[in-house]
Amino acid sequence: MTAGGRFTPGAGHREIVFLTGSGISARTGLGTFRGPDGLWALEPETEEAMHAELLPGSLPQLWRVWGRMARIARGHGPTPGHRAIARLGAPVITQNIDGLHQAAGSEVVAELHGSALSAVCLEVRCTWSAPLSPGEGSRAEDHGVPGACPLCGAPTRPDVVLFDEQLPQEALELAMRLAQRADLFVAVGTSGVVFPSAQLAPLAASHGATTVLIDIAPPSGSGTLFDHVIAEDAHEVLPDWERRLHRVGGTSFLDPFPD
């Protein structure tokens, strides 16, 4: 703990794992999804287009929405929170599709909801995928990828998980392994109510991890779900953690440090 009472990791925390949601990327201009000021409330037509059952008719809207979000993320770049997590060298489980953790330098990133920076084939049995160049417009070609899959001819789509779709199995399995091995599990900028992400903090806790939530406006009841709730700006908290753990100008982040 710091002198002010805020939880701070110590030398005993050797396996820190982060779970991040849209709150960590909000200052880029992407905003959050839930709540009265979230994307679903402000743009209900976008929320409607996110249902998998509406494909392929919803493809033009999907390309506009995710192309715009990918373009905003790429233009702004990682936030101080993203960069602090990367400097800590901690693995990340993210609900975000913006690629900002990788842009900050994080090497282990489980993307539970896919990526708006790549395209895949609408035919689930097809293996085609390609990176895209975020642009403007409602066609795949507006984002640097073909509208028809080069392998099978089916339409292409942003590689994001829609409502009623399964999360990518490889990413989910990685997330479960990371949660089980963590001795400190930190959720940042996420409501923690969406499954299966909601089970990760309890899973980590069941394997002995200390659990922490960092959110400028924590959801009601968070104190019963996490050992520590820090109702502050993650872009201030995480750089402070990184400075303390690295003892800036000093030695390894695994060494003890004074309170």
Side-chain angles (χ1 to χ4, degrees):
M1 302 288 284
T2 64
R6 179 212 287 163
F7 173 85
T8 302
H13 296 118
R14 296 175 178 270
E15 291 285 350
I16 305 175
V17 174
F18 286 89
L19 168 66
T20 64
S22 58
I24 197 171
S25 297
R27 72 160 52 183
T28 66
L30 292 174
T32 57
F33 291 92
R34 290 176 170 78
D37 297 321
L39 182 62
W40 300 152
L42 298 178
E43 300 181 16
E45 68 281 3
T46 297
E47 188 272 341
E48 293 172 2
M50 295 307 299
H51 291 271
E53 64 187 21
L54 298 179
L55 290 168
S58 58
L59 281 174
Q61 179 73 343
L62 290 182
W63 280 116
R64 283 195 298 270
V65 170
W66 296 117
R68 175 174 60 85
M69 296 187 75
R71 190 172 68 255
I72 291 172
R74 179 167 288 183
H76 185 283
T79 66
H82 290 102
R83 296 189 186 281
I85 290 173
R87 287 194 296 267
L88 287 170
V92 181
I93 305 163
T94 188
Q95 297 167 292
N96 299 336
I97 46 72
D98 51 38
L100 291 176
H101 284 296
Q102 294 93 327
S106 290
E107 296 183 358
V108 179
V109 183
E111 294 180 303
L112 294 181
H113 294 169
S115 172
L117 295 172
S118 64
V120 293
C121 181
L122 191 62
E123 170 53 63
V124 295
R125 291 169 295 182
C126 184
T127 60
W128 180 84
S129 65
L132 55 79
S133 300
E136 298 183 37
S138 59
R139 303 178 311 136
E141 291 84 355
D142 298 325
H143 308 277
V145 293
C149 174
L151 296 183
C152 72
T156 60
R157 56 169 284 186
D159 188 18
V160 296
V161 177
L162 306 182
F163 299 146
D164 306 320
E165 289 187 320
Q166 296 293 318
L167 271 60
Q169 190 63 31
E170 184 176 342
L172 183 57
E173 291 176 356
L174 174 58
M176 302 286 279
R177 292 197 301 271
L178 292 174
Q180 291 177 63
R181 83 182 196 196
D183 56 38
L184 176 60
F185 187 89
V186 186
V188 182
T190 175
S191 65
V193 300
V194 179
F195 281 86
S197 298
Q199 70 187 5
L200 293 174
L203 177 62
S206 71
H207 283 75
T210 298
T211 59
V212 180
L213 172 66
I214 305 173
D215 197 300
I216 196 86
S220 176
S222 298
T224 64
L225 301 175
F226 294 88
D227 297 318
H228 304 276
V229 176
I230 302 176
E232 299 179 44
D233 189 342
H235 301 299
E236 297 177 1
V237 175
L238 295 176
D240 179 65
W241 281 15
E242 191 267 332
R243 287 190 295 268
R244 287 173 171 271
L245 290 173
H246 279 159
R247 298 179 67 185
V248 173
T251 55
S252 167
F253 75 93
L254 295 179
D255 290 341
F257 58 89
D259 289 337

